[in-house]
Amino acid sequence: MQAIRMVKKMSEGSPTKSLIDELPGGLKGNLSPGEKVVNYLRTFEIVERPNYIVLTDRRLVYFNEKHLGRYDFMSLPFQKILQMKADRGVFFWGDISFKTEDGTTVSIGEG
């Protein structure tokens, strides 16, 4: 199971070009031509760069930008997601987990 830090901020607004403009360049470069960003979640951390969970019209994308142009990138096409589970956090946030058709579980949350 892969653990990812908790998501804090959700984008506001309609699915427009302005949402794509708010994303880092490395993430924008991995979007397919014509792929529309519907919404995104972004972590809030003081000492590290934020992680992004992006919902497009085709897939769910995890993007973690690192220093020197490096990044972690994971793409989950909707047809490959078998199960999604969301739990509300005790104080602020919660956990979201996805199970893919190949048996991989991805967990996005505090753990």
Side-chain angles (χ1 to χ4, degrees), residues 1-100:
M1 185 181 324
Q2 181 177 357
I4 302 170
R5 277 182 227 80
M6 193 52 228
V7 174
K8 183 176 180 183
K9 182 183 178 196
M10 186 167 163
S11 64
E12 297 176 9
S14 61
T16 63
K17 185 170 173 32
S18 65
L19 283 180
I20 293 175
D21 293 339
E22 296 173 13
L23 300 174
L27 179 53
K28 287 189 264 188
N30 281 294
L31 295 176
S32 300
E35 188 170 12
K36 294 182 174 117
V37 174
V38 176
N39 218 330
Y40 71 87
L41 299 170
R42 177 179 65 98
T43 59
F44 178 78
E45 298 183 32
I46 296 172
V47 295
E48 295 182 19
R49 294 182 178 204
N51 299 324
Y52 289 85
I53 306 296
V54 179
L55 176 67
T56 74
D57 58 346
R58 302 176 191 174
R59 59 190 171 155
L60 187 70
V61 175
Y62 167 73
F63 180 83
N64 177 10
E65 188 173 29
K66 301 187 182 278
H67 297 285
L68 302 173
R70 296 177 300 128
Y71 55 84
D72 292 330
F73 182 87
M74 181 184 299
S75 175
L76 297 170
F78 293 134
Q79 63 268 26
K80 300 227 182 235
I81 298 174
L82 291 180
Q83 180 183 24
M84 182 176 120
K85 180 181 175 188
D87 295 310
R88 188 175 188 155
V90 177
F91 294 107
F92 295 103
W93 320 114
D95 298 308
I96 301 171
S97 62
F98 303 92
K99 186 172 184 179
T100 62

